[in-house]
Amino acid sequence: MPLPFLTADRAFEATSGDIALPFDDHDQWRRPYRPGPWRVIAAALALLIASFMLLATLIIALAGALPAAGACLGAAALVIAVALRLLRVGTWVSRHGVRQVRFFRTVTVPWARAASLRTVQQPVRWLGLPRTVQGQALLLVRHGDGEPLTLLTDHSADFLARVEAFDRAADSVEAWNAEYAPVS
């Protein structure tokens, strides 16, 4: 039984959803990979907690304690903002450069400032925690900077236990660099 609503915007038989469509605008920032299950699960749990907090806000407001309801509403809004920022974390690319979005900080490097982009074996952080394990990392070395920028690791929340996805994402970022980096 065919389901035509599944094929409305892409072929049902397509094996890879990571291929850019020809009409995509390369001037807009895009993530060259899908968010990993660990990141999505953490954001979903945060949104579930926020929904319970909003229900508690409603109950507190109906009980007549408006200052407490306001505090609970503010805390729920904070949890929702944390969940949305958690989903936004990652490496983004466009024609203008590469952008690494972290939880509290965002770094943008134009392709003209990228000296090299390579995948190396090194100790990497496991799920962003202080514990390090041996793994792969995609490093961006900038002109004039001695400190390389770690764009992707195979033990992050996006690629833990998904080595093929890490390889595809690293190849995709390297392809963007090859296409838009100025020829020297």
Side-chain angles (χ1 to χ4, degrees):
M1 173 177 147
L3 301 173
F5 60 88
L6 291 177
T7 61
D9 57 345
R10 65 180 149 263
F12 182 70
E13 293 83 19
T15 58
S16 175
D18 298 334
I19 299 172
L21 298 175
F23 54 82
D24 284 342
D25 185 13
H26 285 216
D27 287 329
Q28 292 192 354
W29 292 99
R30 69 185 68 231
R31 187 189 318 232
Y33 57 90
R34 292 187 176 140
W38 292 98
R39 184 174 311 284
V40 173
I41 288 170
L45 287 175
L47 290 174
L48 182 67
I49 290 169
S51 69
F52 286 122
M53 293 172 76
L54 289 172
L55 182 63
T57 300
L58 178 67
I59 293 170
I60 292 169
L62 291 176
L66 293 182
C72 194
L73 180 65
L78 181 67
V79 171
I80 290 170
V82 164
L84 293 177
R85 184 63 180 184
L86 186 63
L87 287 175
R88 187 92 173 128
V89 168
T91 300
W92 298 73
V93 293
S94 80
R95 181 185 319 248
H96 308 291
V98 62
R99 177 176 287 173
Q100 184 187 34
V101 179
R102 293 184 182 168
F103 195 76
F104 291 112
R105 184 172 66 122
T106 299
V107 177
T108 302
V109 179
W111 292 121
R113 286 202 54 222
S116 69
L117 193 65
R118 64 186 186 276
T119 304
V120 296
Q121 285 282 107
Q122 70 176 29
V124 296
R125 298 172 98 190
W126 183 76
L127 290 176
L129 299 172
R131 177 177 177 228
T132 60
V133 294
Q134 190 66 25
Q136 291 185 359
L138 180 66
L139 296 180
L140 174 73
V141 178
R142 297 172 276 195
H143 288 292
D145 258 350
E147 181 74 22
L149 181 65
T150 304
L151 296 177
L152 304 171
T153 67
D154 63 345
H155 285 79
S156 69
D158 290 321
F159 302 111
L160 189 64
R162 296 176 51 210
V163 177
E164 297 86 14
F166 172 78
D167 292 337
R168 275 195 317 268
D171 290 343
S172 179
V173 173
E174 289 171 353
W176 277 82
N177 181 37
E179 184 173 352
Y180 293 112
V183 179
S184 48

